[in-house]
Amino acid sequence: MTKRFLSLLLALLMLNSFFPIISEASEIDSASSGDGSVSVTAESGKEFYIIFSINPVNNVQGLQLEIAYSKSFYPLNTSNGYEFNEDITFTNTFVNDSPYGATSSIQVGMIFSNSGQNFTKKTDIVKLRFTAKRKLTNKSIDYYVKEFFDSTSSMNDIDPSYVSARVEMISDEPTVSSLTVTPPTKTTYCVGDSLDTSGMTVTAKYSDNTTKDVTASATLSGFDSSSAGTKTVTVSYGGKTATFSVIIENIAVTSITIQTKPTKLTYYVGDTFDPTGIKVIANKNNGTKEDVTSKVSYSGFDSSSAGTRKITVSYSGKSATFDITVNSVVVTDISITSKPTKLTYYVGDTFDPTGI
């Protein structure tokens, strides 16, 4: 392959916006032996993945893989035959299934970045999905590795030890394709509360389009009532997730209740207020109650005149009331506790109340 043709091919690939893309290749590596191989044992009709990984390496612009291939033994799945790692930012990708009519190879290209990309750990980059058309017994599948450089450079071999492959069989059991959640009945909490999942329903949809209630098997994460705010709870099952939101509120007093009125409810003009015997309860938004009798304040007491008074009890911005009666002071009777000193008079004397 000439440097000029490679430059043109790479430039066209980087301009193409489809992902992934099936395109023609000018040629493939026709070496007689591969840089690596994997072994497959599978019954006829079974599906399997060949997953390619790249080991820790710096400044890799891209990779081209060429895989030995036999359509009659294990064709590439035509509908979803390949999947690139979504966690990697690709400049472009392509898969050539039997380029130029060949039946012996698949060409897979991945351009990471013209400026190079670093891999700090072993990372899956692409997986190919095959169907065994015949029984495969320790079938060896070879692959070849080349590295893409930028469009002004040639395509060179990369150390094959940087790339490895493995086989994973695909189970006949349907897999979870999506997850939906009906949130719990309770979605508003107070700081310090625990999650209440009553009323929550989690439904899994499978690859065969069936659904199943998996509420009892699902796991939840993300609930945090240590501080106020809107929190996202993640529901997980079968490798899929769904979310719902809850609101965490600070603990606050919603109302106060006069559980017991004061002992004294009748006063006379000039008396002072006496709250002895009263009991006041604060009701909070987390369902708890607190005796706040010693913390309340009073207003509305006035004994300057007779009448009914409404006494207001206040705490934390909330209030409750009760009534008292103020009576006028009136004479109900009189009594002589000490008689006058002079109780004996003579004709013509005047009355002397001294001592009465």
Side-chain angles (χ1 to χ4, degrees):
M1 182 180 291
T2 65
K3 182 185 296 186
R4 180 178 179 185
F5 187 85
L6 267 177
S7 299
L8 178 60
L9 172 63
L10 292 175
L12 289 172
L13 285 173
M14 287 182 281
L15 286 173
N16 199 311
S17 60
F18 294 109
F19 175 82
I21 177 174
I22 298 291
S23 62
E24 294 290 341
S26 59
E27 63 182 60
I28 62 170
D29 189 338
S30 58
S32 58
S33 62
D35 294 329
S37 66
V38 291
S39 179
V40 180
T41 297
E43 295 295 327
S44 177
K46 296 295 183 180
E47 291 187 305
F48 61 90
Y49 288 122
I50 299 180
I51 303 174
F52 290 90
S53 304
I54 187 167
N55 293 322
V57 62
N58 293 329
N59 197 36
V60 179
Q61 282 85 359
L63 288 177
Q64 178 179 293
L65 306 173
E66 292 154 5
I67 300 98
Y69 181 51
S70 173
K71 279 189 174 182
S72 61
F73 279 83
Y74 48 94
L76 185 70
N77 192 300
T78 56
S79 60
N80 57 344
Y82 47 92
E83 183 177 332
F84 295 96
N85 189 341
E86 294 180 353
D87 295 331
I88 298 175
T89 301
F90 294 102
T91 301
N92 213 324
T93 59
F94 66 89
V95 175
N96 290 335
D97 182 6
S98 302
Y100 289 100
T103 60
S104 60
S105 65
I106 300 171
Q107 189 178 48
V108 180
M110 293 159 284
I111 303 174
F112 303 125
S113 169
N114 287 338
S115 59
Q117 183 167 331
N118 300 330
F119 293 88
T120 58
K121 61 182 180 181
K122 186 173 181 178
T123 305
D124 291 344
I125 50 178
V126 66
K127 62 182 181 182
L128 307 178
R129 184 177 184 134
F130 298 91
T131 301
K133 288 296 185 182
R134 305 180 186 181
K135 183 176 180 178
L136 305 177
T137 303
N138 295 322
K139 174 66 177 178
S140 180
I141 301 176
D142 296 328
Y143 60 89
Y144 314 91
V145 184
K146 287 182 178 289
E147 180 181 9
F148 280 120
F149 281 82
D150 62 39
S151 59
T152 60
S153 303
S154 61
M155 183 170 66
N156 299 314
D157 292 329
I158 190 174
D159 187 338
S161 67
Y162 287 138
V163 177
S164 59
R166 68 184 188 274
V167 172
E168 287 187 3
M169 300 306 297
I170 300 175
S171 172
D172 291 333
E173 293 295 323
T175 57
V176 178
S177 56
S178 64
L179 207 63
T180 56
V181 58
T182 300
T185 304
K186 182 178 181 179
T187 56
T188 300
Y189 295 82
C190 292
V191 170
D193 281 353
S194 298
L195 179 65
D196 182 355
T197 59
S198 300
M200 182 184 74
T201 302
V202 184
T203 303
K205 183 177 181 181
Y206 289 83
S207 53
D208 61 357
N209 287 324
T210 61
T211 59
K212 180 182 178 181
D213 186 333
V214 295
T215 306
S217 303
T219 59
L220 288 82
S221 61
F223 180 82
D224 177 15
S225 65
S226 62
S227 60
T230 299
K231 307 297 174 71
T232 299
V233 180
T234 299
V235 183
S236 303
Y237 179 80
K240 301 298 181 181
T241 61
T243 62
F244 63 89
S245 296
V246 297
I247 298 173
I248 310 297
E249 298 178 341
N250 287 313
I251 298 174
V253 175
T254 57
S255 65
I256 62 172
T257 303
I258 300 172
Q259 192 174 86
T260 305
K261 294 180 181 180
T263 304
K264 185 175 182 179
L265 295 174
T266 301
Y267 292 82
Y268 291 95
V269 171
D271 282 351
T272 56
F273 179 66
D274 181 3
T276 302
I278 195 171
K279 186 173 183 179
V280 183
I281 301 298
N283 308 300
K284 300 183 180 181
N285 58 349
N286 65 347
T288 62
K289 299 178 182 294
E290 180 186 0
D291 186 337
V292 294
T293 305
S294 63
K295 304 175 183 178
V296 300
S297 61
Y298 303 93
S299 60
F301 181 80
D302 177 11
S303 65
S304 63
S305 61
T308 300
R309 303 287 188 266
K310 189 174 292 294
I311 306 302
T312 299
V313 184
S314 301
Y315 175 75
S316 190
K318 306 300 179 181
S319 62
T321 62
F322 64 92
D323 292 336
I324 63 166
T325 300
V326 179
N327 292 325
S328 297
V329 178
V330 296
V331 176
T332 57
D333 61 66
I334 64 171
S335 61
I336 300 173
T337 59
S338 177
K339 295 179 180 180
T341 304
K342 185 177 181 178
L343 294 175
T344 303
Y345 291 82
Y346 293 96
V347 174
D349 284 351
T350 57
F351 177 66
D352 181 2
T354 302
I356 194 171

Tab-separated table of all heavy atoms in Angstrom, residues 183-190 193-199 244-246 286:
chain	number	residue	atom	x	y	z
A	183	PRO	N	-41.439	5.229	40.500
A	183	PRO	CA	-40.875	5.670	41.779
A	183	PRO	C	-41.717	5.241	42.970
A	183	PRO	O	-42.917	4.966	42.840
A	183	PRO	CB	-40.852	7.205	41.640
A	183	PRO	CG	-40.873	7.459	40.176
A	183	PRO	CD	-41.704	6.353	39.589
A	184	PRO	N	-41.109	5.159	44.160
A	184	PRO	CA	-41.864	4.843	45.368
A	184	PRO	C	-42.940	5.890	45.640
A	184	PRO	O	-42.896	7.011	45.111
A	184	PRO	CB	-40.789	4.867	46.469
A	184	PRO	CG	-39.495	4.724	45.758
A	184	PRO	CD	-39.682	5.361	44.425
A	185	THR	N	-43.897	5.527	46.472
A	185	THR	CA	-44.952	6.464	46.848
A	185	THR	C	-44.363	7.689	47.538
A	185	THR	O	-44.784	8.827	47.289
A	185	THR	CB	-45.954	5.764	47.786
A	185	THR	OG1	-46.448	4.592	47.138
A	185	THR	CG2	-47.113	6.687	48.122
A	186	LYS	N	-43.385	7.459	48.398
A	186	LYS	CA	-42.766	8.557	49.142
A	186	LYS	C	-41.539	9.050	48.394
A	186	LYS	O	-40.584	8.311	48.169
A	186	LYS	CB	-42.366	8.103	50.546
A	186	LYS	CG	-41.758	9.204	51.400
A	186	LYS	CD	-41.436	8.704	52.805
A	186	LYS	CE	-40.837	9.816	53.671
A	186	LYS	NZ	-40.541	9.348	55.046
A	187	THR	N	-41.567	10.314	47.981
A	187	THR	CA	-40.421	10.901	47.285
A	187	THR	C	-39.894	12.151	47.980
A	187	THR	O	-38.958	12.775	47.488
A	187	THR	CB	-40.794	11.258	45.831
A	187	THR	OG1	-41.930	12.137	45.834
A	187	THR	CG2	-41.114	10.006	45.036
A	188	THR	N	-40.516	12.536	49.112
A	188	THR	CA	-40.040	13.674	49.883
A	188	THR	C	-39.631	13.190	51.268
A	188	THR	O	-40.416	12.527	51.961
A	188	THR	CB	-41.111	14.766	50.013
A	188	THR	OG1	-41.476	15.215	48.704
A	188	THR	CG2	-40.580	15.954	50.808
A	189	TYR	N	-38.405	13.509	51.659
A	189	TYR	CA	-37.841	13.037	52.916
A	189	TYR	C	-37.269	14.203	53.704
A	189	TYR	O	-37.146	15.323	53.193
A	189	TYR	CB	-36.723	12.024	52.646
A	189	TYR	CG	-37.204	10.752	51.998
A	189	TYR	CD1	-37.401	10.690	50.619
A	189	TYR	CD2	-37.462	9.620	52.749
A	189	TYR	CE1	-37.843	9.525	50.015
A	189	TYR	CE2	-37.902	8.451	52.158
A	189	TYR	CZ	-38.089	8.400	50.789
A	189	TYR	OH	-38.532	7.258	50.191
A	190	CYS	N	-36.922	13.915	54.953
A	190	CYS	CA	-36.231	14.881	55.793
A	190	CYS	C	-34.798	14.405	56.025
A	190	CYS	O	-34.492	13.214	55.876
A	190	CYS	CB	-36.938	15.048	57.133
A	190	CYS	SG	-38.544	15.851	56.987
A	193	ASP	N	-33.585	10.784	57.267
A	193	ASP	CA	-34.550	9.726	56.984
A	193	ASP	C	-33.904	8.579	56.204
A	193	ASP	O	-32.865	8.742	55.552
A	193	ASP	CB	-35.721	10.267	56.154
A	193	ASP	CG	-36.734	11.015	57.001
A	193	ASP	OD1	-36.587	10.989	58.243
A	193	ASP	OD2	-37.666	11.623	56.425
A	194	SER	N	-34.546	7.420	56.236
A	194	SER	CA	-34.143	6.266	55.431
A	194	SER	C	-35.072	6.151	54.221
A	194	SER	O	-36.219	6.590	54.267
A	194	SER	CB	-34.214	4.982	56.262
A	194	SER	OG	-33.327	5.043	57.366
A	195	LEU	N	-34.547	5.547	53.162
A	195	LEU	CA	-35.332	5.382	51.934
A	195	LEU	C	-36.476	4.402	52.165
A	195	LEU	O	-36.301	3.336	52.751
A	195	LEU	CB	-34.436	4.875	50.804
A	195	LEU	CG	-35.117	4.640	49.454
A	195	LEU	CD1	-35.628	5.948	48.876
A	195	LEU	CD2	-34.148	3.973	48.480
A	196	ASP	N	-37.646	4.770	51.684
A	196	ASP	CA	-38.832	3.925	51.754
A	196	ASP	C	-39.219	3.544	50.326
A	196	ASP	O	-39.627	4.399	49.541
A	196	ASP	CB	-39.975	4.673	52.436
A	196	ASP	CG	-41.228	3.833	52.599
A	196	ASP	OD1	-41.247	2.684	52.100
A	196	ASP	OD2	-42.194	4.321	53.220
A	197	THR	N	-39.070	2.266	49.977
A	197	THR	CA	-39.322	1.835	48.595
A	197	THR	C	-40.754	1.354	48.381
A	197	THR	O	-41.068	0.830	47.304
A	197	THR	CB	-38.354	0.707	48.209
A	197	THR	OG1	-38.529	-0.393	49.124
A	197	THR	CG2	-36.914	1.189	48.260
A	198	SER	N	-41.611	1.552	49.346
A	198	SER	CA	-43.005	1.115	49.190
A	198	SER	C	-43.623	1.754	47.945
A	198	SER	O	-43.519	2.966	47.746
A	198	SER	CB	-43.823	1.499	50.420
A	198	SER	OG	-43.301	0.906	51.590
A	199	GLY	N	-44.246	0.927	47.116
A	199	GLY	CA	-44.889	1.427	45.907
A	199	GLY	C	-43.994	1.435	44.684
A	199	GLY	O	-44.465	1.665	43.565
A	244	PHE	N	-34.695	7.718	39.531
A	244	PHE	CA	-35.778	8.594	39.954
A	244	PHE	C	-35.211	9.569	40.978
A	244	PHE	O	-34.130	9.331	41.549
A	244	PHE	CB	-36.972	7.803	40.527
A	244	PHE	CG	-36.666	7.017	41.775
A	244	PHE	CD1	-36.801	7.583	43.031
A	244	PHE	CD2	-36.254	5.699	41.679
A	244	PHE	CE1	-36.532	6.849	44.174
A	244	PHE	CE2	-35.983	4.952	42.824
A	244	PHE	CZ	-36.126	5.538	44.076
A	245	SER	N	-35.909	10.672	41.190
A	245	SER	CA	-35.422	11.720	42.075
A	245	SER	C	-36.232	11.771	43.367
A	245	SER	O	-37.431	11.483	43.376
A	245	SER	CB	-35.477	13.093	41.387
A	245	SER	OG	-34.619	13.125	40.273
A	246	VAL	N	-35.563	12.129	44.452
A	246	VAL	CA	-36.231	12.371	45.732
A	246	VAL	C	-35.780	13.736	46.243
A	246	VAL	O	-34.718	14.244	45.867
A	246	VAL	CB	-35.909	11.290	46.773
A	246	VAL	CG1	-36.420	9.936	46.321
A	246	VAL	CG2	-34.413	11.230	47.059
A	286	ASN	N	-40.789	15.526	59.838
A	286	ASN	CA	-40.314	14.143	59.762
A	286	ASN	C	-41.164	13.202	60.594
A	286	ASN	O	-40.806	12.050	60.820
A	286	ASN	CB	-38.854	14.049	60.191
A	286	ASN	CG	-38.651	14.410	61.649
A	286	ASN	OD1	-39.540	14.951	62.298
A	286	ASN	ND2	-37.471	14.118	62.177
